[in-house]
């Protein structure tokens, strides 16, 4: 697929869809030195809609790998409204992660709280944002809901153990870490 898209880019060097598609494929392979020029050309071409979102999202991933969280946050924020619903959720979670990386845990939590959790993963993500913002009691509640839905999720047990430990509840922390290890 990579060779085919690169051939299309050679044949149609100003086609935005080809540039984005080749960039996304190369980005998945972490070939950032090749991706960046393609995405820059695509973005300069005046993309719109979901194609713009895909290009911005791919650019955000490169910024993450380059350890440029502020630029990554901006790219994901710009991409989010143009993407399909599933990709919007991923862009939002990436924005939250970048805020946490930047030490802006309260902003990350506020962004997380804008959306009502419905799945175990949603409750886990909420709990993770809460523990990073120092809201240990709220984290324990959210992770408890996640574990009701998915009792074998190691990351949920680990996050619960962290929240208990940070709250000074040693016994609960130790009891929560055992299932994470198992």
């Amino acid at each position: 697929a990579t060779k085919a898209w690169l051939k299309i880019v050679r044949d149609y060097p100003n086609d935005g869809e080809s540039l984005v598609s080749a960039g996304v494929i190369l980005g998945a392979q972490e070939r950032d030195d090749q991706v960046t020029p393609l995405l820059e050309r695509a973005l300069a071409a005046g993309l719109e809609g979901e194609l713009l979102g895909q290009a911005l999202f791919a650019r955000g991933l490169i910024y993450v790998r380059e350890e440029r969280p502020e630029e990554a946050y901006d790219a994901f924020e710009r991409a989010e409204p143009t993407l399909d619903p599933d990709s919007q959720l991923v862009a939002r979670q990436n924005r939250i992660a970048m805020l946490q990386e930047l030490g802006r845990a309260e902003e990350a939590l506020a962004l997380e709280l804008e959306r009502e959790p419905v799945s175990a993963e949603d409750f886990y993500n909420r709990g993770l944002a809460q523990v990073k913002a120092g809201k240990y009691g709220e984290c324990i509640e959210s992770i408890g809901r996640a574990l009701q839905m998915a009792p074998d999720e190691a990351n949920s047990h680990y996050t619960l153990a962290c929240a208990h430990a940070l709250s000074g509840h040693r016994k609960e922390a130790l009891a929560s870490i055992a299932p994470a290890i198992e």
Side-chain angles (χ1 to χ4, degrees), residues 113-182:
L113 293 175
E114 288 178 4
R115 189 174 160 275
E116 244 351 272
V118 294
S119 68
E121 183 179 2
D122 292 343
F123 280 105
Y124 167 76
N125 288 331
R126 176 165 287 191
L128 187 61
Q130 289 166 325
V131 77
K132 289 183 179 197
K135 310 287 186 193
Y136 308 128
E138 291 93 332
C139 171
I140 291 167
E141 184 179 322
S142 294
I143 296 298
R145 295 281 307 271
L147 287 170
Q148 286 174 349
M149 297 176 178
D152 296 327
E153 285 298 318
N155 287 335
S156 293
H157 285 286
Y158 176 78
T159 302
L160 183 60
C162 291
H164 280 304
L166 292 165
S167 297
H169 306 131
R170 292 176 58 168
K171 288 181 183 176
E172 292 88 346
L174 291 172
S176 297
I177 199 69
I181 295 169
E182 290 175 18

Side-chain angles (χ1 to χ4, degrees), residues 79-137:
E80 187 177 337
T82 66
L83 297 168
D84 66 82
D86 290 337
S87 297
Q88 284 179 342
L89 291 177
V90 176
R92 176 177 286 269
Q93 285 308 122
N94 287 346
R95 287 174 57 206
I96 291 167
M98 292 303 95
L99 287 170
Q100 291 167 341
E101 180 76 21
L102 291 163
R104 295 160 50 186
E106 290 292 333
E107 289 176 67
L109 178 57
L111 186 57
E112 177 63 46
L113 293 175
E114 288 178 4
R115 189 174 160 275
E116 244 351 272
V118 294
S119 68
E121 183 179 2
D122 292 343
F123 280 105
Y124 167 76
N125 288 331
R126 176 165 287 191
L128 187 61
Q130 289 166 325
V131 77
K132 289 183 179 197
K135 310 287 186 193
Y136 308 128

